[in-house]
Amino acid sequence: MTLARRATAEAVGTGVLVATVVGSGVAASRLSPTDAGLQLLHNSLATGAVLVALIAALQPVSASFNPVVTLVEWARGSLDRRQVTALVPAQLAGGAGGAVVANLMFELPAVDLSGHDRATAATLLAEVVATAGLVVVVLGSLRSGRVETVALAVGGYIAAAYWFTSSTSFANPAVTAARALTDSFAGIAPASVLPFVAAQLVGGVVGLSAAAHLFPTHEETR
């Protein structure tokens, strides 16, 4: 498997994921303009469903779509530094492209910086929780060795985390940065991006530590 192919898969997957998050948010706000709960339901179902599809389709090549997950894989020895430095920029670029495409599909400006400030103490704690949970779900489901288990677990978790976290579970630095490019339902103000990303990185460390305790390797169980 060439690194270029893996980077392409990460860019495409992250791009489609962001296009789904942004596009379904715009569609939901237009279809249900007075019902925020219904808007979130549309958005969460679309995001969960597309994650199942993308992971199932791209897992044979590469299907992290998330810099935190990629960094966790590096910390666990599954990736080397050269791979990380190729995959993370691909995720960031793909996410930005997905936001632009979604804006254009709904006749919005290609880039329209969001004015939706989201960073509060509560939402930052929510991002730590959401990201830590995602890492545990990913690492735990990977132990099954079955692609469908990973896809369903991750898609289901994210769809649920939209509802049980006050931040609506961004849990992904590439998606977070990309969502700053749209002033729509799914947008996040640029000033909120760095605090969200910092919280997600903390969540990644927490999730990795929890997974190491829950799912020890053979060497650690001796």
Side-chain angles (χ1 to χ4, degrees):
M1 189 68 62
T2 67
L3 185 55
R5 285 176 63 193
R6 295 187 69 175
T8 300
E10 289 294 332
V12 170
T14 310
V16 175
L17 172 59
V18 171
T20 302
V21 173
V22 174
S24 65
V26 175
S29 63
R30 292 180 180 179
L31 292 169
S32 307
T34 62
D35 193 332
L38 197 53
Q39 292 170 9
L40 187 62
L41 179 62
H42 295 162
N43 203 203
S44 63
L45 290 177
T47 303
V50 83
L51 275 169
V52 173
L54 289 171
I55 293 171
L58 295 177
Q59 181 70 29
V61 184
S62 187
S64 296
F65 319 138
N66 187 332
V68 169
V69 175
T70 298
L71 289 171
V72 165
E73 291 177 323
W74 170 68
R76 289 173 62 90
S78 301
L79 297 174
D80 60 32
R81 186 175 301 178
R82 183 177 69 92
Q83 292 169 321
V84 171
T85 57
L87 298 182
V88 169
Q91 292 161 349
L92 292 167
V100 169
V101 170
N103 284 336
L104 293 174
M105 286 195 295
F106 287 91
E107 299 183 322
L108 299 172
V111 174
D112 190 13
L113 296 181
S114 176
H116 191 172
D117 292 316
R118 294 181 182 263
T120 66
T123 58
L124 295 179
L125 173 60
E127 282 301 293
V128 174
V129 171
T131 311
L134 175 62
V135 169
V136 171
V137 167
V138 169
L139 296 180
S141 56
L142 279 172
R143 290 169 67 89
S144 73
R146 298 168 58 189
V147 172
E148 62 271 22
T149 298
V150 180
L152 291 170
V154 172
Y157 174 80
I158 290 297
Y162 261 70
W163 291 91
F164 76 75
T165 62
S166 60
S167 62
T168 66
S169 184
F170 284 49
N172 184 327
V175 170
T176 303
R179 288 170 65 169
L181 304 178
T182 180
D183 193 22
S184 62
F185 176 83
I188 178 172
S192 296
V193 170
L194 285 180
F196 261 53
V197 171
Q200 290 157 4
L201 292 173
V202 172
V205 173
V206 172
L208 179 59
S209 299
H213 178 68
L214 291 168
F215 317 122
T217 62
H218 294 303
E219 289 77 12
E220 291 169 333
T221 58
R222 291 175 182 171

